[in-house]
Coordinates of all heavy atoms in Angstrom, one line a residue:
E82 N -36.0 -1.5 -25.3 CA -37.4 -1.9 -25.6 C -38.2 -0.6 -25.8 O -37.9 0.5 -25.3 CB -37.9 -2.8 -24.5 CG -37.6 -2.3 -23.1 CD -37.9 -3.4 -22.0 OE1 -38.8 -4.2 -22.3 OE2 -37.2 -3.4 -21.0
A83 N -39.3 -0.8 -26.5 CA -40.3 0.3 -26.7 C -40.9 0.7 -25.4 O -41.2 -0.1 -24.5 CB -41.3 -0.1 -27.7
V84 N -41.2 2.0 -25.3 CA -41.7 2.5 -24.0 C -43.1 2.0 -23.8 O -43.5 1.7 -22.7 CB -41.7 4.1 -24.0 CG1 -42.6 4.6 -22.9 CG2 -40.3 4.6 -23.8
R85 N -43.9 1.8 -24.9 CA -45.3 1.2 -24.7 C -45.2 -0.1 -24.0 O -46.0 -0.4 -23.1 CB -45.9 1.1 -26.1 CG -47.4 1.0 -26.1 CD -48.0 0.6 -27.4 NE -47.5 1.5 -28.5 CZ -47.5 1.2 -29.8 NH1 -47.9 0.0 -30.2 NH2 -47.1 2.0 -30.7
K86 N -44.2 -0.9 -24.4 CA -44.0 -2.2 -23.8 C -43.5 -2.1 -22.4 O -43.9 -2.8 -21.5 CB -43.0 -3.0 -24.7 CG -43.0 -4.5 -24.5 CD -42.2 -5.2 -25.5 CE -42.2 -6.7 -25.4 NZ -41.4 -7.3 -26.4
M87 N -42.7 -1.1 -22.2 CA -42.1 -0.8 -20.9 C -43.1 -0.5 -19.9 O -43.1 -0.9 -18.8 CB -41.1 0.3 -21.0 CG -39.7 0.0 -21.6 SD -38.8 -1.0 -20.4 CE -38.4 0.2 -19.1
E88 N -44.1 0.3 -20.3 CA -45.2 0.8 -19.4 C -45.9 -0.4 -18.8 O -46.2 -0.5 -17.6 CB -46.1 1.7 -20.1 CG -45.5 3.2 -20.1 CD -46.2 4.1 -21.1 OE1 -47.2 3.6 -21.7 OE2 -45.8 5.2 -21.3
K89 N -46.3 -1.4 -19.7 CA -47.0 -2.6 -19.3 C -46.1 -3.4 -18.4 O -46.6 -3.9 -17.4 CB -47.4 -3.4 -20.5 CG -48.6 -2.8 -21.3 CD -48.9 -3.7 -22.5 CE -50.0 -3.1 -23.3 NZ -50.2 -3.8 -24.6
K90 N -44.9 -3.5 -18.7 CA -43.9 -4.3 -17.9 C -43.8 -3.6 -16.5 O -43.8 -4.3 -15.5 CB -42.5 -4.3 -18.6 CG -41.6 -5.3 -18.0 CD -40.2 -5.2 -18.6 CE -39.3 -6.1 -17.8 NZ -37.9 -5.9 -18.2
R91 N -43.7 -2.3 -16.5 CA -43.6 -1.6 -15.2 C -44.8 -1.8 -14.3 O -44.7 -2.0 -13.1 CB -43.5 -0.1 -15.5 CG -42.0 0.3 -15.7 CD -41.8 1.8 -15.4 NE -40.4 2.2 -15.9 CZ -40.2 3.0 -16.9 NH1 -41.2 3.5 -17.5 NH2 -38.9 3.3 -17.3
E92 N -46.0 -1.9 -15.0 CA -47.3 -2.2 -14.2 C -47.1 -3.5 -13.6 O -47.5 -3.7 -12.4 CB -48.5 -2.1 -15.2 CG -48.9 -0.7 -15.4 CD -50.0 -0.6 -16.5 OE1 -50.8 -1.6 -16.6 OE2 -50.1 0.4 -17.2
R93 N -46.7 -4.5 -14.4 CA -46.5 -5.9 -13.9 C -45.5 -5.9 -12.7 O -45.7 -6.5 -11.7 CB -46.0 -6.8 -15.0 CG -47.1 -7.2 -15.9 CD -46.7 -8.5 -16.7 NE -45.4 -8.5 -17.3 CZ -45.2 -8.0 -18.5 NH1 -46.2 -7.6 -19.2 NH2 -44.0 -8.0 -19.0
E94 N -44.4 -5.2 -12.9 CA -43.3 -5.1 -11.9 C -43.8 -4.5 -10.6 O -43.5 -4.9 -9.5 CB -42.1 -4.4 -12.5 CG -41.2 -5.2 -13.4 CD -40.1 -4.5 -14.0 OE1 -40.0 -3.2 -13.8 OE2 -39.2 -5.1 -14.7
K95 N -44.6 -3.4 -10.8 CA -45.2 -2.7 -9.7 C -46.1 -3.7 -8.8 O -46.0 -3.7 -7.6 CB -46.0 -1.5 -10.1 CG -46.0 -0.4 -9.1 CD -46.5 0.9 -9.7 CE -46.4 2.0 -8.7 NZ -47.0 3.3 -9.3

Side-chain angles (χ1 to χ4, degrees):
E82 48 193 329
V84 164
R85 202 188 304 160
K86 198 169 181 179
M87 281 287 290
E88 281 164 3
K89 286 180 184 174
K90 190 183 174 192
R91 275 202 189 113
E92 279 172 29
R93 283 201 308 272
E94 282 176 352
K95 209 169 184 183

